[in-house]
């Protein structure tokens, strides 16, 4: 039996037509399809403008799956020419502070190798986390999961990627977050909508300032009780607690230190294991 691979090309008002079919001799090879980044370079545009053209149906797009888009160069150029669309940089509809919303965020195409957040209305794009970042996240998550299973059986511990929405204009993806049994009403099918009990951010060289300043301020304004910062480069874990409108440092430590939190009786983290880095990596 011959299996057929079929994708669709959506052209303006013409609907979707077959573009790639592995069983046809005239099939368009997958290597000729461009990512949004590659198309932006071809057209000398920003990726954001390519996305807007896509949402406005000014250019054809190949839908590989949910939010998985690719472009065929000649088809895009032909569509732009047919529609008399000037190929130029567009001013963002959401250029002002506070412009981007959760609804806009949902329209962003997925881009392999990157993740997005909205901080006070500003769209922030970052590379996907490194292997060691994920190693630290996984080790910390396992220890917290073991603790919270007994401490609050009705609560739930989550890890990225999962959206956390805090008021209009803030869509974040904390590395780890905990929702207590008392706050389960903020849990939605597709996101956490409102202040949770604990947020953990694991810093990377590119986002240290963002996590320590911008995101801390957003979490403070939302009144999230506990904010932790893990630094895989410095091998430190800091725990901040919301007190009288501000975050106060409660405990900090690294390998060799005891990490016992006064608000979570029975929690004692093994920081040596959390920050362990294999010799070969």
């Amino acid at each position: 039996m011959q299996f057929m691979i079929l994708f669709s090309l959506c052209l303006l008002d013409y609907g979707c037509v077959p573009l790639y079919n592995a069983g046809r001799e005239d099939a368009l090879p997958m290597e000729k399809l461009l990512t949004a980044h590659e198309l932006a370079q071809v057209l000398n545009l920003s990726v954001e403008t390519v996305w807007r053209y896509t949402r406005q149906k000014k250019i054809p797009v190949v839908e590989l799956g949910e939010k998985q888009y690719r472009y065929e160069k000649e088809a895009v150029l032909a569509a732009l020419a047919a529609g008399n669309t000037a190929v130029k940089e567009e001013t963002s509809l959401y250029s002002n502070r506070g412009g981007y919303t959760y609804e806009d965020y949902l329209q962003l195409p997925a881009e392999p190798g990157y993740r997005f957040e909205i901080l006070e209305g500003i769209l922030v794009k970052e590379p996907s986390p490194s292997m060691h970042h994920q190693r630290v996240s996984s080790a910390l998550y396992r220890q917290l999961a073991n603790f919270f299973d007994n401490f609050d059986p009705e609560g739930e511990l989550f890890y990225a990627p999962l959206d956390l929405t805090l008021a209009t204009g803030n869509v974040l993806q904390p590395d780890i977050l905990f929702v207590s049994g008392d706050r389960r009403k903020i849990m939605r099918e597709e996101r956490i909508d409102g202040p949770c009990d604990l947020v953990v951010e694991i810093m990377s060289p590119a986002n240290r300032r963002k996590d320590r300043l911008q995101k801390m301020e957003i979490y403070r304004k939302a009144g999230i009780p506990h904010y932790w910062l893990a630094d895989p480069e410095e091998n430190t874990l800091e725990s901040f607690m919301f007190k009288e409108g501000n975050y106060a440092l409660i405990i900090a430590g690294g390998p060799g230190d005891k990490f016992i939190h006064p608000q979570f009786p029975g929690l004692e983290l093994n920081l040596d294991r959390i920050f362990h880095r294999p010799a070969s990596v």
Side-chain angles (χ1 to χ4, degrees):
M1 179 182 293
Q2 183 179 26
F3 291 93
M4 312 293 277
I5 302 175
L6 179 65
F7 297 112
S8 294
L9 177 64
C10 298
L11 290 167
L12 301 175
D13 296 325
Y14 300 106
C16 296
V17 298
L19 176 68
Y20 177 72
N21 188 319
R24 289 173 44 182
E25 293 182 358
D26 62 342
L28 179 67
M30 285 295 292
E31 58 266 23
K32 289 190 177 182
L33 298 179
L34 305 178
T35 65
H37 268 286
E38 292 168 338
L39 181 63
Q41 292 176 352
V42 169
L43 299 178
N44 194 27
L45 299 172
S46 69
V47 178
E48 287 72 19
T49 295
V50 170
W51 289 344
R52 283 196 294 278
Y53 279 11
T54 302
R55 291 196 299 270
Q56 295 165 2
K57 297 185 179 181
K58 290 183 177 180
I59 58 177
V61 58
V62 181
E63 298 185 7
L64 304 183
E66 185 178 2
K67 293 189 178 182
Q68 296 291 330
Y69 303 146
R70 293 293 185 274
Y71 305 86
E72 200 276 306
K73 176 183 173 183
E74 298 304 325
V76 169
L77 293 177
L80 291 172
N84 294 318
T85 300
V87 181
K88 63 181 180 179
E89 192 64 67
E90 295 186 359
T91 302
S92 171
L93 296 175
Y94 307 103
S95 59
N96 295 328
R97 186 174 180 83
Y100 273 90
T101 66
Y102 181 62
E103 287 68 30
D104 300 314
Y105 174 84
L106 292 177
Q107 299 303 313
L108 294 174
E111 195 168 342
Y114 294 91
R115 64 178 183 177
F116 299 88
E117 294 180 303
I118 296 178
L119 307 182
E120 299 292 4
I122 303 300
L123 181 64
V124 177
K125 172 184 174 182
E126 288 186 341
S128 297
S130 68
M131 181 185 297
H132 188 56
H133 176 288
Q134 294 301 87
R135 184 183 293 120
V136 171
S137 178
S138 177
L140 179 55
Y141 177 87
R142 287 196 300 269
Q143 293 189 37
L144 289 176
N146 289 335
F147 170 75
F148 281 119
D149 280 348
N150 295 313
F151 181 78
D152 187 350
E154 297 301 316
E156 289 194 62
L157 189 69
F158 299 96
Y159 54 85
L162 177 65
D163 296 334
L164 170 65
T165 50
L166 299 172
T168 302
N170 285 309
V171 185
L172 308 101
Q173 284 198 5
D175 291 293
I176 301 173
L177 64 88
F178 176 70
V179 180
S180 68
D182 292 337
R183 295 186 188 232
R184 292 187 63 86
K185 63 182 180 181
I186 68 173
M187 296 166 61
R188 306 286 183 266
E189 182 65 27
E190 73 287 351
R191 60 185 165 125
I192 304 298
D193 186 25
C196 53
D197 297 80
L198 166 67
V199 162
V200 181
E201 295 286 3
I202 299 170
M203 294 189 289
S204 298
N207 68 11
R208 299 171 66 88
R209 180 178 178 84
K210 181 192 73 173
D211 287 343
R212 190 171 288 281
L213 297 177
Q214 291 176 280
K215 295 180 85 169
M216 178 182 277
E217 179 63 8
I218 291 172
Y219 295 141
R220 183 195 68 81
K221 288 180 179 178
I224 291 179
H226 300 279
Y227 180 47
W228 294 7
L229 275 173
D231 188 339
E233 300 302 316
E234 299 294 332
N235 292 338
T236 58
L237 178 62
E238 300 170 277
S239 171
F240 298 88
M241 191 165 72
F242 190 74
K243 287 186 174 183
E244 299 178 354
N246 290 295
Y247 276 128
L249 181 63
I250 299 300
I251 186 173
D257 297 327
K258 286 187 175 183
F259 193 94
I260 302 175
H261 200 289
Q263 294 298 310
F264 299 115
L267 175 64
E268 184 172 352
L269 298 177
N270 184 333
L271 299 182
D272 292 83
R273 179 164 296 180
I274 288 172
F275 291 110
H276 173 69
R277 186 191 292 264
S280 59
V281 179

